[in-house]
Amino acid sequence: MGRYAQVLVGYDGTKESELAIRWAVEEARKRRLDLTVCHAWRWPYPISYIDYEGVAIVKRMGRHLLQHGVELAESLAPGLKVHQRLVDGPAVPALLHEGAEGIIVLGSHEREELPVGSSALQVPAHARGPVLVVRAPGTPTDGRVVVGVDDSPGSQAALEFAFEEAALRGWQVEAVSGCWEPGGVAGTEIALFADREKLEQVCGARLQRAVAPWLVKYPQVATRTSLVLEEPRRALLGAAKGADMVVVGARGERGPNLQPLGATAMAMLQMAPCTVAVVHP
C-alpha cells in the first residue's frame, strides 16, 4: 500500500468537493499518507484584457477558498499532515499534474448534471493512478465494494484496489462479471453465446481464477462472486445499489484521438449511485 505518494483532493468550495475532502481525509488516514488539497483558479478573460489588480483579487479569493478546504480537512483528522496547492489554470491538467504519483479524489455533480467535459470524467480518463469520484449514495449502504471483473489488465488492477479498500475499511467485496457481451469477445468464443450452460461454466471459471489470488492475499476480507448474464455495465449498476464504492478498470486506449476509458467505466462515472474508483493497469 506504500506505492502511492499522497492523496490529492480537488476542492472548489462546492458541497460535492466537501464530500470529496471527507473521503480523501479518511483515505489518507487509513493509508498513512499525506493529504494535499488542491484548488485551480483561473483569470476568466483573454490576455489582452488583463487587469492586474483584478487578477490579484481573483487569486486571493482562490487562496481563501483553498484555505477553507485545508481547515476542513484538518478539523476532520487532527494530526493528519495536510498540504495545499494553489494552481493557476484549468482544473483538469492541474489535478493530473499535482496528483500524478498518488490517489486523486474528486467530487461529482448529480448524475443528470454531469457534462462531458467535467473533471469527474476527464481526470479518471487521463490519470496515471487511481481516481475516486465521490458521490453521495442515494440509499443506505451496506459496507460493500463492488468490482468489475473481466480478462483485461485493468480488471486485475481494479481487483487489487478493491481488496485494498475493503481491507482498510472493513468492507466486503462483491466481484461482478457481466458476461453477456457477444461483441466484446474473441471470435473463438462467440459460439458460447448459443449455449447458456457452457457460457456460464467458462465465464464462471474465469471469474474464480481472477479473484483467487486476492482471496489468498486478503483472507480477512469477506468476498462473494456474482456472474450475471447481462452486459457488464448493467450488471455493475445492479450490484452498485446499496454499495459504498464501485471499482472498475480503465479498459480504454491511450493516445491521440483514442478513448482512454472503456464504455463500462464511462457508464459507472455517469450513472453509478455511489462513489466510483477508476484504476489504470
Side-chain angles (χ1 to χ4, degrees):
M1 297 181 193
R3 63 189 180 282
Y4 303 119
Q6 62 171 341
V7 175
L8 180 130
V9 58
Y11 181 72
D12 62 6
T14 62
K15 64 178 182 179
E16 291 84 6
S17 67
E18 289 196 1
L19 281 175
I21 281 190
R22 293 177 185 278
W23 189 294
V25 163
E26 193 69 1
E27 195 76 27
R29 192 179 67 79
K30 289 186 177 297
R31 290 181 181 270
R32 299 182 180 180
L33 295 173
D34 288 3
L35 174 67
T36 299
V37 183
C38 180
H39 175 68
W41 72 281
R42 192 178 189 186
W43 177 249
Y45 300 108
I47 188 71
S48 58
Y49 295 102
I50 282 187
D51 173 339
Y52 290 101
E53 183 178 351
V55 171
I57 291 171
V58 173
K59 184 175 181 179
R60 191 158 59 244
M61 289 169 63
R63 191 179 303 281
H64 289 165
L65 188 150
L66 174 61
Q67 186 59 38
H68 179 270
V70 170
E71 290 171 359
L72 173 60
E74 291 174 338
S75 71
L76 291 169
L80 178 67
K81 195 166 186 179
V82 181
H83 309 275
Q84 55 182 285
R85 289 290 295 150
L86 183 66
V87 184
D88 177 5
V92 171
L95 292 167
L96 291 172
H97 176 73
E98 298 296 333
E101 303 300 327
I103 298 170
I104 300 175
V105 183
L106 302 172
S108 172
H109 294 295
E110 295 299 323
R111 290 167 283 171
E112 297 81 6
E113 302 173 1
L114 198 61
V116 173
S118 168
S119 299
L121 294 180
Q122 293 301 315
V123 174
H126 299 286
R128 293 168 56 184
V131 179
L132 279 65
V133 177
V134 179
R135 181 174 288 143
T139 58
T141 57
D142 54 16
R144 180 169 49 98
V145 53
V146 172
V147 55
V149 180
D150 55 27
D151 57 356
S152 70
S155 174
Q156 279 301 312
L159 277 164
E160 180 177 19
F161 191 80
F163 272 87
E164 280 183 5
E165 287 290 303
L168 287 167
R169 296 173 180 270
W171 289 344
Q172 58 180 318
V173 168
E174 181 177 3
V176 176
S177 178
C179 63
W180 192 264
E181 195 174 29
V185 301
T188 54
E189 293 188 355
I190 196 70
L192 290 173
F193 291 90
D195 185 339
R196 182 182 178 119
E197 185 176 340
K198 183 67 173 176
L199 177 66
E200 289 182 327
Q201 181 182 354
V202 171
C203 292
R206 184 178 295 157
L207 173 58
Q208 297 301 326
R209 285 197 302 272
V211 173
W214 306 107
L215 299 178
V216 174
K217 185 171 182 179
Y218 295 97
Q220 77 276 27
V221 174
T223 307
R224 71 173 184 263
T225 57
S226 299
L227 182 69
V228 185
L229 290 181
E230 289 185 352
E231 293 177 339
R233 72 194 79 177
R234 290 184 179 275
L236 285 170
L237 284 173
K241 294 173 183 175
D244 291 83
M245 177 193 282
V246 175
V247 184
V248 289
R251 198 181 177 179
E253 300 177 273
R254 291 182 183 269
N257 303 318
L258 295 177
Q259 173 56 265
L261 283 182
T264 301
M266 185 66 78
M268 293 307 104
L269 289 169
Q270 292 175 317
M271 295 185 284
C274 61
T275 294
V276 177
V278 176
V279 188
H280 289 267

